[in-house]
Every structure is written in C-alpha cells, then in structure tokens.
Amino acid sequence: MDVLPSQSEVFLVEESDRALVADGPALVAPGGARHQIPPKVFEAMRFVEAAMRQGFAVQVIALRHELPIDEAAAAIGMSAEDLRAYAAEGALPFRSSDYVDWVRLTDVLALDERLRAQRRRALDELLNESDYDEDDTPNDREG
C-alpha cells in the first residue's frame, strides 16, 4: 500500500462492523499475546503501518459521529467554505445550532466519495477523448 504525503483517510467503523471475527485479525504484542480486532480496524492499522514504513509521521484523531462543519471539512481535506457551499446547495444535510453548523460524519464521507467518483469519471472521459484526433481517428501513440 502506497501512502502519499499528507494523505488523509477517515476510517469509520459502524456498530455492525465492530464485531470480532473468529480467527480474524489481531494485534500481536512482541511477546506473542494476541488482541483480536475487527476487520475494519485492521484496515486503519494497515494504513498507519504503511505510512510509518514509508517514513511518515501519523496523526490519529478520534472524531465524533456529528461534527462542526469546519472539523468535518478538515477531516476530508476540503476547505470549510467549499463544504459549506455543498451544504447550502443541498448536497450535504446539516443542522444549525446557535453558533455552529453540524454535519454527520457518514454524510460527509458519502459526499467525499461521490465527489471523488465524479472526478475519476471526468478524468476517464478526458483520457478517452485524448485517444482520438479532432477528426475522430485514433491517435497512434506508438508510432
């Protein structure tokens, strides 16, 4: 697994994902003692291990399931202004208190995944378009 500098990943373990699995993943102490962990927790530990093996420092932050919109934006590496704009246009449900707009972490992660998928599709379309000349004949990339 390759980790990029400043790559941010959020691992959310829903209640249904917290169960231990027989003969499932475990943390193993130097003395051999095993501490069973849920498979989803293993994914997070694998990310931490990969980053540290590549020489990166790792910051682990416990996040609430509902966050102020500024904290939620930071968690996914987006500007707070952009996340507020998505909320204002209805792409992200939120609730307001006296001083803070609150969003659910699951909703923020779902929005982030939708945006990533849109970017991937757009890039794929651009790459597919570049495979053809203006007259719709395939480019000869090897010639």
Side-chain angles (χ1 to χ4, degrees):
M1 168 187 297
D2 285 332
V3 177
L4 301 172
S6 298
Q7 180 177 345
S8 175
E9 293 291 332
V10 177
F11 297 92
L12 178 64
V13 181
E14 299 285 351
E15 191 163 339
S16 60
D17 296 325
R18 294 181 195 157
L20 300 177
V21 177
D23 296 323
L27 297 176
V28 181
R34 293 177 52 88
H35 177 75
Q36 296 287 111
I37 59 173
K40 285 276 193 169
V41 173
F42 177 79
E43 292 175 26
M45 299 304 298
R46 178 69 182 104
F47 178 83
V48 168
E49 181 265 343
M52 294 181 85
R53 277 189 182 262
Q54 289 175 240
F56 298 119
V58 175
Q59 179 181 24
V60 177
I61 301 172
L63 298 172
R64 296 173 291 207
H65 289 273
E66 187 176 50
L67 300 166
I69 204 162
D70 293 0
E71 286 182 35
I76 61 170
M78 179 183 289
S79 76
E81 294 80 23
D82 287 347
L83 193 58
R84 285 182 192 287
Y86 285 113
E89 72 183 27
L92 178 67
F94 70 99
R95 71 173 180 85
S96 294
S97 64
D98 289 340
Y99 303 103
V100 178
D101 291 329
W102 296 87
V103 291
R104 290 183 1 192
L105 184 57
T106 54
D107 294 335
V108 172
L109 295 177
L111 172 68
D112 189 45
E113 184 52 41
R114 286 194 309 271
L115 294 173
R116 287 177 193 235
Q118 287 174 358
R119 286 192 296 268
R120 279 191 300 270
R121 284 192 303 275
L123 285 173
D124 288 345
E125 288 176 21
L126 286 173
L127 291 173
N128 288 337
E129 288 175 9
S130 69
D131 286 341
Y132 291 89
D133 292 325
E134 290 179 13
D135 61 355
D136 284 340
T137 58
N139 284 332
D140 183 10
R141 292 185 179 215
E142 295 181 24

